[in-house]
Amino acid sequence: MGLEKSGILVIDKPAGMSSAQVVAEIKKASGARKVGHAGTLDPMATGVLVCCLNSATRLARFLLSGRKTYDATLTLGVATDTQDRTGEVVARADAGAVTREAICAVFERFTGGLDQQPPVYSALKHAGSPLYRLARKGQPVQKPPRPVTIFSIVLTGVDGPRVRFEVECSAGTYIR
C-alpha cells in the first residue's frame, strides 16, 4: 500500500472558472482522493485559490479564517442584479460629479466591523442548493446579514467611472 500524496497547491485561478471547477481539475489531474479549497472566488474573478489535497484538507479551516486582500474595480453609476459585472443592469445614475474625496469618505464608512448581507448570487447554500442556482431560476433566497470586518480600503486609481481599490477584509466578506 503506497502513501497518499497530500499537500497545498496555490493556484492562479483564471476568469471563467468556478472554484469548484478548479478543484475538479486538480482532482482529475492529481488523482487525489480529496481536494478542497480555502475560500471561494467568483467565476469571473482571477487570483489566488488555495487548494488542499488529501490529508491536507484538514488545514483548510485554518486557511479559511485568515484575512484576505482583493484588488478590485467598480463602475460608478451602474447597479446590476448580481452586484457584479456579469449581471443585468437594473439602475443607472450620473456619477460624473463624484470626487476622489467623496469616494474615500464612502470607503471610510465601510471600514471596521459591519453586518454584510450575502448576495443572492453566491455559492452559499440553501437546502443543499447554491444560492446562485436558485436566483437564476427566479427563486432568490436572501440569507441573513453576517458580521465581517473591513480592515482597510485603499483607493488606487480613478479613471472616469472606474474606481480601482484594494481591500483587506475578514473571511466571508463579499467584495463586489
Side-chain angles (χ1 to χ4, degrees):
M1 181 175 206
L3 289 177
E4 152 182 287
K5 291 184 180 177
S6 297
I8 297 174
L9 292 175
V10 178
I11 304 297
D12 184 4
K13 189 191 89 58
M17 284 186 85
S18 70
S19 297
Q21 288 172 319
V22 171
V23 165
E25 289 291 323
I26 291 170
K27 194 170 188 177
K28 183 175 145 186
S30 69
R33 182 179 46 80
K34 284 175 65 177
V35 179
H37 60 77
T40 304
L41 290 175
D42 285 340
M44 89 296 283
T46 62
V48 173
L49 184 68
V50 178
C51 296
C52 301
L53 283 70
N54 294 319
S55 61
T57 57
R58 294 182 206 141
L59 301 174
R61 65 187 171 108
F62 300 107
L63 300 170
L64 279 165
S65 63
R67 291 182 179 198
K68 316 289 189 224
T69 301
Y70 296 95
D71 181 19
T73 302
L74 66 86
T75 302
L76 296 171
V78 178
T80 67
D81 59 353
T82 58
Q83 299 177 333
D84 63 31
R85 69 176 185 224
T86 67
E88 297 292 321
V89 174
V90 295
R92 290 190 186 273
D94 180 14
V98 176
T99 64
R100 291 178 72 88
E101 293 75 22
I103 295 166
C104 289
V106 169
F107 284 176
E108 231 175 85
R109 289 196 335 244
F110 281 95
T111 303
L114 56 106
D115 287 334
Q116 184 184 51
Q117 187 89 51
V120 296
Y121 286 87
S122 71
L124 290 177
K125 294 199 173 150
H126 176 76
S129 291
L131 295 185
Y132 65 82
R133 255 193 217 131
L134 296 169
R136 287 184 187 138
K137 289 182 188 176
Q139 304 165 348
V141 173
Q142 189 67 72
K143 291 287 192 179
R146 301 166 8 158
V148 299
T149 303
I150 305 295
F151 300 104
S152 67
I153 308 176
V154 178
L155 179 64
T156 58
V158 179
D159 184 15
R162 301 223 189 281
V163 176
R164 291 182 313 283
F165 61 99
E166 184 178 282
V167 61
E168 183 181 1
C169 57
S170 63
T173 305
Y174 286 88
I175 304 299
R176 291 196 176 166

